[in-house]
């Protein structure tokens, strides 16, 4: 049986980061991905993700500050530019609750510079918007874009360069902790197209699970279940009439914090702008995913865009689907399992890409060192038990 210090299961951005940082610490690492690398079945593909410190929860602001430092080191190691800083705005409707209710108070407390703008000020500064009168705008200069696909491939390349053994098209069917708590046995099966199916068993001292929507399949035999909601989401790319007005040096990343919430990007790598709704509750399982965009969600997005962006000549180019896997309180899980401390679980609740280098580093630290200096007090499993009454 092949022996490793750390095994990582699931190579989206979080698992790829965990594999890289575990190998960077000099450990013998193996990593498994049930699909081909760079696949579109999860949540880490496509072009772009928002990076920001603008958050109402202090723990996330602190983690974001660490992430910006880790992004810079990752760019240096990769020899590639992975972030594009554009500045960003959060639109705050004054009527009703929203997840950014305490945004300015948190930014003040965490010493994050920002500007608070009226609707008139925002519309003068960015005439591409049509901000309603009852909406405030918070601008943060450090907001920007992470190149999604490039980041994932860079992490995988760096992990391999550091010695990580990566098996793609390899499904992990079962993880069995040793009764003596000395490690974990990992049973795998090849899934590659056109190849003969074969099974192989590995052993690792610690296992990091970054398996997102497939998490409970591996936890169920261990008597553990995390309450998760899985849904198919989508983003749409539009071609604006005046693409120059929407270039990253003239137009910010934006978030509409109403209910429902929307978000979007300036032109990035092509003459289109990207926009989507956050958490549409289009519930499904990975096996039920259609990969077909929802006309209802597209119409909802188009209607919002029609009111917020006075560009009647804008054209829809394409719609891309992805997968959300969220916890009941939409917070991360970064924690060993209670009864199986050699298994460390990482769940990003569909908003972790901006933290990816730090998230992966922390998972590696928990697996190898048993602790981390980052504040992950919000991200344990006990609060899931409290919220749901079961685990």
């Amino acid at each position: 049986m092949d022996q490793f210090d750390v095994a990582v299961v699931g190579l989206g951005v979080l698992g790829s980061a965990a594999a890289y940082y575990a190998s960077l610490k000099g450990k013998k690492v193996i990593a498994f991905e049930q699909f081909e690398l760079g696949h579109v079945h999860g949540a880490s593909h496509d072009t772009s993700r928002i990076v920001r410190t603008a958050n109402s929860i202090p723990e996330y602001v602190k983690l974001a500050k660490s992430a910006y430092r880790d992004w810079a080191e990752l760019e240096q190691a990769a020899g590639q530019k992975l972030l594009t800083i554009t500045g960003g705005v959060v639109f705050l409707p004054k009527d009703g609750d929203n997840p950014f209710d305490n945004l300015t108070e948190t930014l003040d407390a965490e010493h994050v510079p920002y500007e608070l703008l009226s609707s008139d000020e925002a519309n003068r500064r960015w005439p591409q918007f049509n901000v309603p009168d009852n909406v405030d705008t918070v601008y943060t200069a450090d907001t920007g874009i992470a190149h999604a696909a490039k980041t994932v491939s860079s992490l995988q390349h760096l992990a391999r360069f550091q010695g990580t053994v990566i098996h793609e098209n390899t499904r992990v069917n079962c993880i069995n902790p040793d009764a003596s708590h000395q490690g974990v046995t990992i049973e795998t099966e090849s899934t590659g197209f056109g190849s003969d199916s074969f099974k192989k068993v590995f052993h690792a001292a610690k296992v990091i699970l970054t398996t997102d929507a497939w998490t409970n399949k591996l936890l169920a035999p261990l008597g553990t279940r995390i309450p998760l909601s899985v849904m198919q989401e989508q983003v749409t790319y539009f071609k604006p009439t005046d693409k120059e007005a929407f270039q990253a040096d003239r137009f910010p990343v934006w978030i509409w914090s109403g209910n429902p919430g929307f978000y979007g990007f300036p032109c990035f790598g092509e003459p289109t702008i990207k926009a989507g709704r956050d958490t549409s509750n289009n519930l499904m399982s990975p096996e039920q995913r259609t990969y077909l965009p929802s006309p209802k969600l597209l119409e909802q997005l188009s209607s919002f865009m029609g009111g917020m962006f006075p560009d009647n000549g804008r054209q829809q180019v394409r719609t891309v689907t992805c997968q959300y896997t969220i916890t009941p309180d939409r917070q991360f899980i970064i924690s060993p399992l209670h009864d199986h401390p050699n298994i460390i679980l990482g769940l990003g609740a569909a908003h972790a890409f901006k933290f990816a280098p730090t998230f992966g580093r922390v998972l590696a630290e928990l697996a190898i060192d048993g602790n981390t200096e980052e504040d992950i007090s919000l991200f344990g499993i006990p609060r899931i038990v409290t919220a749901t009454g079961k685990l």
Side-chain angles (χ1 to χ4, degrees), residues 55-63 327 329-335 347 351 374-384:
N55 199 299
S56 294
I57 301 175
E59 287 80 359
Y60 283 106
V61 178
K62 294 182 177 71
L63 202 65
T327 53
D329 56 6
R330 195 72 193 273
Q331 311 300 352
F332 298 160
I333 296 178
I334 308 175
S335 175
L347 274 165
H351 64 111
E374 301 293 341
D375 181 2
I376 57 171
S377 57
L378 281 184
F379 311 140
I381 295 176
R383 64 117 173 41
I384 296 289

Side-chain angles (χ1 to χ4, degrees), residues 159-237:
R160 274 184 164 144
F161 182 77
Q162 293 294 331
T164 295
V165 178
I166 293 180
H167 289 279
E168 61 181 321
N169 294 310
T170 302
R171 181 175 57 245
V172 172
N173 290 328
C174 187
I175 49 175
N176 298 304
D178 298 344
S180 60
H181 298 293
Q182 296 303 305
V184 182
T185 300
I186 304 123
E187 299 179 11
T188 71
E189 181 177 0
S190 65
T191 58
F193 177 76
S195 65
D196 295 331
S197 177
F198 66 92
K199 298 181 180 181
K200 191 169 182 179
V201 178
F202 301 85
H203 187 273
K206 298 291 179 69
V207 172
I208 296 172
L209 289 185
T210 46
T211 42
D212 205 52
W214 295 270
T215 295
N216 282 323
K217 285 188 174 182
L218 292 175
L219 294 185
L222 304 177
T224 299
R225 178 183 175 275
I226 305 294
L228 299 173
S229 297
V230 181
M231 57 197 74
Q232 179 174 284
E233 300 294 326
Q234 62 192 57
V235 294
T236 298
Y237 290 79

Side-chain angles (χ1 to χ4, degrees), residues 213-214 230-232 282-290 323:
W214 295 270
V230 181
M231 57 197 74
Q232 179 174 284
N282 186 14
L283 297 171
M284 45 129 238
S285 69
E287 295 76 21
Q288 295 169 327
R289 184 176 168 188
T290 66
Q323 190 167 262

Side-chain angles (χ1 to χ4, degrees), residues 58-364:
E59 287 80 359
Y60 283 106
V61 178
K62 294 182 177 71
L63 202 65
K65 290 180 177 180
S66 293
Y68 274 93
R69 292 190 290 270
D70 285 335
W71 276 109
E73 293 180 2
L74 179 61
E75 287 183 318
Q76 185 175 13
Q80 293 197 70
K81 185 177 177 61
L82 301 175
L83 296 189
T84 298
I85 302 302
T86 62
V89 294
V90 179
F91 297 116
L92 303 171
K94 297 176 183 178
D95 50 342
D97 295 333
N98 67 69
F100 288 87
D101 270 345
N102 301 318
L103 178 59
T104 57
E105 291 90 337
T106 299
L107 296 181
D108 284 333
E110 297 301 324
H111 308 290
V112 176
Y114 68 91
E115 298 175 51
L116 180 60
L117 308 172
S118 68
S119 58
D120 288 340
E121 290 171 325
N123 288 329
R124 281 195 300 270
R125 188 160 173 178
W126 301 285
Q128 303 93 327
F129 292 122
N130 181 26
V131 183
D133 292 340
N134 67 333
V135 174
D136 287 330
T137 300
V138 173
Y139 172 78
T140 47
D142 64 353
T143 296
I145 303 170
H147 193 300
K150 187 190 293 185
T151 295
V152 177
S153 63
S154 294
L155 286 165
Q156 292 165 355
H157 173 78
L158 288 168
R160 274 184 164 144
F161 182 77
Q162 293 294 331
T164 295
V165 178
I166 293 180
H167 289 279
E168 61 181 321
N169 294 310
T170 302
R171 181 175 57 245
V172 172
N173 290 328
C174 187
I175 49 175
N176 298 304
D178 298 344
S180 60
H181 298 293
Q182 296 303 305
V184 182
T185 300
I186 304 123
E187 299 179 11
T188 71
E189 181 177 0
S190 65
T191 58
F193 177 76
S195 65
D196 295 331
S197 177
F198 66 92
K199 298 181 180 181
K200 191 169 182 179
V201 178
F202 301 85
H203 187 273
K206 298 291 179 69
V207 172
I208 296 172
L209 289 185
T210 46
T211 42
D212 205 52
W214 295 270
T215 295
N216 282 323
K217 285 188 174 182
L218 292 175
L219 294 185
L222 304 177
T224 299
R225 178 183 175 275
I226 305 294
L228 299 173
S229 297
V230 181
M231 57 197 74
Q232 179 174 284
E233 300 294 326
Q234 62 192 57
V235 294
T236 298
Y237 290 79
F238 299 91
K239 181 181 179 182
T241 302
D242 179 9
K243 67 178 185 297
E244 295 304 321
F246 289 90
Q247 295 300 312
D249 58 348
R250 298 177 60 185
F251 184 69
V253 168
W254 59 271
I255 297 172
W256 175 267
S257 66
N259 186 17
F262 298 91
Y263 61 93
F265 300 77
C267 294
F268 183 66
E270 60 178 286
T272 62
I273 57 174
K274 171 183 168 182
R277 174 183 165 176
D278 181 61
T279 318
S280 66
N281 294 314
N282 186 14
L283 297 171
M284 45 129 238
S285 69
E287 295 76 21
Q288 295 169 327
R289 184 176 168 188
T290 66
Y291 298 87
L292 298 175
S294 162
K296 179 180 178 181
L297 292 177
L298 178 56
E299 173 57 33
Q300 186 181 62
L301 175 63
S302 298
S303 176
F304 173 82
M305 296 285 287
M308 194 68 178
F309 297 88
D311 179 9
N312 294 329
R314 179 176 52 250
Q315 297 178 342
Q316 177 191 338
V317 176
R318 69 183 183 278
T319 297
V320 178
T321 66
C322 66
Q323 190 167 262
Y324 270 26
T325 304
I326 62 175
T327 53
D329 56 6
R330 195 72 193 273
Q331 311 300 352
F332 298 160
I333 296 178
I334 308 175
S335 175
L337 299 184
H338 295 305
D339 296 332
H340 307 290
N342 292 330
I343 300 174
I344 295 91
L345 180 59
L347 274 165
H351 64 111
F353 205 108
K354 64 183 70 65
F355 305 98
T358 302
F359 202 119
R361 174 173 58 78
V362 169
L363 288 172

